[in-house]
Amino acid sequence: MTTGDRLIILNTTRTGEKSLVVHALSRAGGRRGYIVSADSRSGALWQPLNILDAEVVENPRSELCRLRGVSVIHPLEGLRSNLYKSAIGIFISEVIWRLVREGQPEESLWSWLEGSILTLNALEADFSNYHLRFLLELCSTMGFSPSREGLEGYAGRHIGKICEMASSDLAGAMMVPLNGGDRSEIAGILLKYLGDHCETSLNIRSLQILKEIFRD
């Protein structure tokens, strides 16, 4: 059976010289894996956070579907051309990949994530706090809006800054003054808070990349 769907790419795993398993958030089916060709012509399609239209071909002999007729919906030129945005994008894709379990329909999460990606792509300046605001909004999207009382056991000296970002609009959250060390610590706090509420451990390797890039 073949059905149309929209996908947000999260990660890829090479399975041989000519094939990849693409891990994506599907609008219709939640997080799923797909087997695709690993040829050089299609490699750019599978970059993290790419938003794609595709035909999904079910395989009764395998849990992995195949994709055909794949096309990019949004070019994301602003994200791909900026090292700092690209690093935030890798962080976002890893968080969703590790947090969301396979096979659970998440259409509201998909729509919110699409909007978050397009917002990051469009920002031209003052986006160093974006991954922190993303984590706060992700908590709300997952069903547990962060409160001061709920965060106090996690946040320590950062409680004021975290609550300020949570209560501000996007522009205000981007202007909360933080240095690189603060951002790294707050990201760790929010990942712990998010993981505890979702009953999982979020060991996000790309957090170290953000720590290096947003050092100042």
Side-chain angles (χ1 to χ4, degrees), residues 145-178:
S145 297
S147 65
R148 189 180 188 94
E149 294 77 12
L151 286 165
E152 280 180 345
Y154 295 83
R157 68 183 181 88
H158 295 296
I159 186 67
K161 297 293 187 183
I162 295 175
C163 290
E164 185 180 355
M165 279 191 290
S167 61
S168 300
D169 61 11
L170 177 63
M174 296 302 97
M175 298 307 295
V176 173
L178 297 169

Side-chain angles (χ1 to χ4, degrees), residues 7-12 22-25 44-52 72-76 79-80 85-97 110 113-114 116-118 120-121 130 134:
L7 312 174
I8 297 175
I9 303 302
L10 304 177
N11 195 13
T12 58
V22 171
H23 306 277
L25 189 68
L45 286 173
W46 319 124
Q47 294 185 77
L49 299 189
N50 267 2
I51 305 169
L52 309 176
V72 175
I73 301 172
H74 307 288
L76 302 182
L79 193 156
R80 303 301 176 205
K85 285 187 185 182
S86 294
I88 293 174
I90 291 170
F91 174 82
I92 287 173
S93 65
E94 186 181 0
V95 169
I96 299 297
W97 178 53
W110 195 97
L113 181 58
E114 180 188 36
S116 297
I117 294 166
L118 296 179
L120 175 61
N121 182 67
Y130 190 81
F134 171 85

